[in-house]
Amino acid sequence: MALLFYSTSDSASRWKAALATAIPELDVRVWPEIGDAREIRYALVWRPPEGLLASLPNLELVLSLGAGVDHIFADPKLPAVPVARLVDPHMVEAMSEYILLQVMRLHRQDVLYMAQQRRGEWTEHLQPNAGERRVSFLGLGMFGSDAARKLAALGFDVAGWSRTEKHLPGIACFHGADGLDALLARTDVLVCLLPLTPETEGILSAALFARMPRGAAIVNAGRGAHLVEEDLIPALDSGQLSAAVLDVFRTEPLPLTHPFWRHERIVVTPHVAAATNPATASLVVADNIRRARAGEPIRDVVDPARGY
Ligand code: NAP
Ligand code: GLV
């Protein structure tokens, strides 16, 4: 029973150690040392190269090293086997910490005060109460719903948008194309926690920014391709947006020459909002492999037609 591990990060040794504890009988093969490809039944991957999964003739299950699966569906040669995303409650806690931190920074005008400190400038700005700050989520799934609930508990005026209709206590819920305008019109801080699909790519565009009140801010912790990058700096420079916090980018690592690094009202973090932790995630992966072996239903299989 062999599993192929492929990641663009340097996490292979931590994963090997964690899987050795969580499921000792598993034969973990780290790409490119894959041995006999016919022995591989499972693949645990982050952004696998095109055709790698198709080259495994007895592959039964693809496991994502992340909550998102766009990096797997990007492979046009992806074989027709189930794809499971990673659902680890510790990642949900981590994402909410990140979103709360960044929304708080925007709410308390920290990006502005940090820039003032660099200039040695002492200027006080009016501070709204949390209840006067309207925070909206694009995506009310595993991550969006948890962060939305926690911000509402802190007193913020919270809303969210999803594809299908939702009813979440204390959150104003909007859905579908018709619901988006109403959500944007009541937004001071827009948090993107959507999956990347053909419907959501490029959603953070000049046209969307124009539908929000002047001076709104954005936080993108979904995927880099949600943002039309060339629309961001003009929106900040014109005052339509006041600030942007970005954790994800079309090219990662963000190239050193990219203007986002140096813009005073852009905060850049290196795709760390909810990093996968092998210590806890390996237990989730082990559970799914045991299920597959026992012929039991696999958890968190994604619908390829929806793309998330
Ligand atoms: P999820 O549970 O699948 O939730 C996705 C949400 O987006 C759902 O509410 C869904 O609506 C909504 N949605 C999808 N397509 C839509 C559309 N066309 N219009 C309106 N709403 C739409 O996903 P999740 O686990 O919260 O993860 C979200 C994303 O976070 C991941 O896909 C990944 O890209 C990103 N992520 C980032 C990091 C990081 O460190 N920055 C870490 C992990 C994940 P329904 O509820 O109606 O289905
Ligand atoms: C990270 O971005 C993930 O999808 O888990």
Side-chain angles (χ1 to χ4, degrees):
M1 182 183 55
L3 171 138
L4 167 70
F5 179 91
Y6 179 92
S7 175
T8 51
S9 82
D10 60 358
S11 59
S13 55
R14 280 182 296 136
W15 267 101
K16 267 199 101 158
L19 286 169
T21 306
I23 180 161
E25 66 275 25
L26 187 67
D27 171 9
V28 179
R29 301 186 186 172
V30 178
W31 188 90
E33 311 285 320
I34 71 169
D36 185 348
R38 290 168 302 182
E39 291 166 3
I40 293 174
R41 295 276 188 278
Y42 315 110
L44 177 60
V45 294
W46 179 261
R47 216 181 294 156
E50 180 177 324
L52 173 63
L53 298 172
S55 73
L56 307 173
N58 297 314
L59 187 67
E60 291 170 16
L61 173 64
V62 178
L63 299 139
S64 174
L65 275 166
V69 289
D70 50 291
H71 60 102
I72 294 171
F73 286 115
D75 178 355
K77 298 184 178 138
L78 180 66
V81 296
V83 175
R85 74 196 196 102
L86 185 61
V87 171
D88 178 348
H90 295 284
M91 283 173 78
V92 180
E93 282 171 13
M95 180 62 86
S96 289
E97 285 171 11
Y98 181 89
I99 300 299
L100 265 66
L101 169 70
Q102 304 303 348
V103 170
M104 272 313 176
R105 291 185 74 187
L106 295 167
H107 169 56
R108 296 306 307 244
Q109 306 177 82
D110 191 47
V111 178
L112 194 56
Y113 287 128
M114 291 304 289
Q116 286 187 194
Q117 180 181 345
R118 285 193 289 275
R119 292 194 294 272
E121 177 188 336
W122 184 284
T123 305
E124 183 184 339
H125 301 278
L126 280 178
Q127 179 57 53
N129 297 327
E132 296 169 296
R133 194 72 85 181
R134 299 163 300 177
V135 183
S136 297
F137 284 79
L138 298 179
L140 276 177
M142 175 169 83
F143 291 126
S145 61
D146 188 71
R149 180 177 59 77
K150 288 174 175 165
L151 282 167
L154 289 173
F156 289 92
D157 182 357
V158 181
W161 182 67
S162 51
R163 200 175 49 81
T164 57
E165 189 170 1
K166 291 217 173 335
H167 299 277
L168 302 178
I171 317 287
C173 293
F174 300 86
H175 70 281
D178 297 343
L180 186 55
D181 264 330
L183 176 107
L184 294 172
R186 49 90 66 228
T187 296
D188 299 314
V189 179
L190 185 71
V191 179
C192 178
L193 280 173
L194 288 166
L196 183 63
T197 67
E199 288 74 44
T200 64
E201 177 166 5
I203 190 169
L204 301 174
S205 65
L208 178 136
F209 303 151
R211 290 149 76 190
M212 295 198 285
R214 193 171 168 76
I218 64 164
V219 177
N220 187 17
R223 285 286 184 259
H226 285 131
L227 175 66
V228 179
E229 289 194 346
E230 55 274 27
D231 288 359
L232 181 61
I233 289 179
L236 289 164
D237 291 349
S238 73
Q240 181 57 29
L241 292 183
S242 55
V245 177
L246 307 175
D247 186 53
V248 284
F249 303 89
R250 285 185 182 253
T251 304
E252 295 181 1
L254 185 64
L256 263 181
T257 51
H258 201 292
F260 288 174
W261 281 115
R262 279 166 298 280
H263 197 284
E264 203 168 62
R265 283 180 289 126
I266 297 178
V267 174
V268 169
T269 56
H271 200 146
V272 290
T276 302
N277 179 352
T280 52
S282 59
L283 304 177
V284 179
V285 168
D287 176 56
N288 249 345
I289 291 173
R290 290 208 173 94
R291 285 166 171 274
R293 289 188 72 199
E296 292 169 13
I298 311 294
R299 286 191 206 272
D300 309 309
V301 170
V302 294
D303 173 0
R306 267 189 351 180
Y308 72 98

